[in-house]
Amino acid sequence: MAQPTAASRLASTGTYALDLEGVGRQFGALVALDGIAMKVMAGERRAVLGSNGAGKTTLFNAITGDFPPTSGAIRFFGEDVTRLPVHERIRRGLRRTYQISQLFHGLSVRESVFLACRGVSRGRFSLVRPGLRDETMAQADRIIHAVHLDPLSERQVGALSHGEHRQLELAMALGGAPRFLLLDEPAAGLSPTERRDLVAILNALPSHIGYIIIEHDLDVALKVSTFVTMMHNGRIFKEGTPDAIENDPQVQAIYLGGGHG
């Protein structure tokens, strides 16, 4: 008999990877998020879609603690993290990529991913250089392979293309055994070939690693998600499967210009 997955065990106990209750975020008089309620299972792959200004990135900022919510509660695998600082959420297994690259251009690809893995490990403050059999370096090499950057592992980050920067950002987010990823427009600026490669990378991630992806490219978003949340004016507008969202008349009228091929 097949053993239950981590996601199915959590589902059976009613525990979610992310559980948002009435999450709001205001900037002065501006209401950027208004009563967001969302439950995301461990291992779930969800897309959050919406036009510019819908509140998608603000939602990520609230979840990660970059801009904590002004109302509501956020639980991560059952623990209330609403008021925890960013680094404590990272230590609990929450990872994120950003719309704008945040990389060290003077390092190599391998050094960058190694530091991402080392930064959340118990030995992160050690000054000892890694040896030939260092497990953290081995983990970095496995991640580099998973994101298809093997041929570029020794290349300096500053010499990479925009698409390769995006792959490296994903690799760094995978450092240190993450439990859940928040991916902020990872396909932005990618060529059609690079987008196909991104889809393949995301679909090949281990099943226990769930994620939420914000993406303007619907072809990418609908191919890498099993559930879609649509946002509009800081609220959840509609939710459903990729097929249901793609074929919904209201979604087509507001976001897809009346149709989507």
Side-chain angles (χ1 to χ4, degrees), residues 162-190:
H162 173 75
E164 290 159 355
H165 279 166
R166 288 301 196 185
Q167 287 171 269
L168 177 56
E169 289 164 355
L170 178 57
M172 293 176 68
L174 290 169
R179 303 169 79 186
F180 201 84
L181 306 176
L182 302 175
L183 308 174
D184 198 345
E185 296 192 32
L190 301 190

Side-chain angles (χ1 to χ4, degrees), residues 206-220:
S207 60
H208 69 277
I209 300 178
Y211 58 74
I212 298 175
I213 180 172
I214 292 173
E215 189 52 66
H216 281 293
D217 186 323
L218 291 174
D219 285 330
V220 170

Side-chain angles (χ1 to χ4, degrees), residues 45 47-48 63 93 105 108 138 144 195 205 212 215 223-224 260:
R45 279 88 191 274
V48 172
I63 294 171
H105 285 218
S108 71
I144 289 169
R195 292 181 186 209
L205 289 178
I212 298 175
E215 189 52 66
K223 287 177 181 175
V224 300
H260 178 59

Side-chain angles (χ1 to χ4, degrees), residues 73-207:
I74 299 172
R75 283 181 285 276
F76 185 60
F77 286 92
E79 180 183 3
D80 189 334
V81 298
T82 311
R83 301 301 164 201
L84 287 183
V86 175
H87 68 273
E88 288 294 345
R89 304 185 200 208
I90 292 173
R91 288 179 183 175
R92 284 159 173 77
L94 183 63
R95 304 286 189 276
R96 180 198 181 159
T97 66
Y98 290 82
Q99 290 182 16
I100 301 174
S101 297
Q102 299 187 358
L103 301 171
F104 297 104
H105 285 218
L107 298 179
S108 71
V109 168
R110 196 169 188 235
E111 289 168 337
S112 297
V113 181
F114 169 78
L115 287 178
C117 295
R118 184 70 168 266
V120 292
S121 69
R122 291 183 177 179
R124 59 185 175 276
F125 298 118
S126 173
L127 299 179
V128 178
R129 293 179 64 86
L132 293 176
R133 297 184 180 181
D134 184 86
E135 174 53 34
T136 305
M137 188 64 79
Q139 181 191 31
D141 288 337
R142 290 192 294 270
I143 293 172
I144 289 169
H145 176 72
V147 301
H148 307 172
L149 283 176
D150 304 72
L152 305 175
S153 63
E154 301 303 328
R155 184 171 298 182
Q156 275 202 336
V157 173
L160 300 179
S161 69
H162 173 75
E164 290 159 355
H165 279 166
R166 288 301 196 185
Q167 287 171 269
L168 177 56
E169 289 164 355
L170 178 57
M172 293 176 68
L174 290 169
R179 303 169 79 186
F180 201 84
L181 306 176
L182 302 175
L183 308 174
D184 198 345
E185 296 192 32
L190 301 190
S191 68
T193 299
E194 290 170 333
R195 292 181 186 209
R196 287 193 294 271
D197 198 29
L198 174 65
V199 168
I201 291 169
L202 293 179
N203 284 332
L205 289 178
S207 60

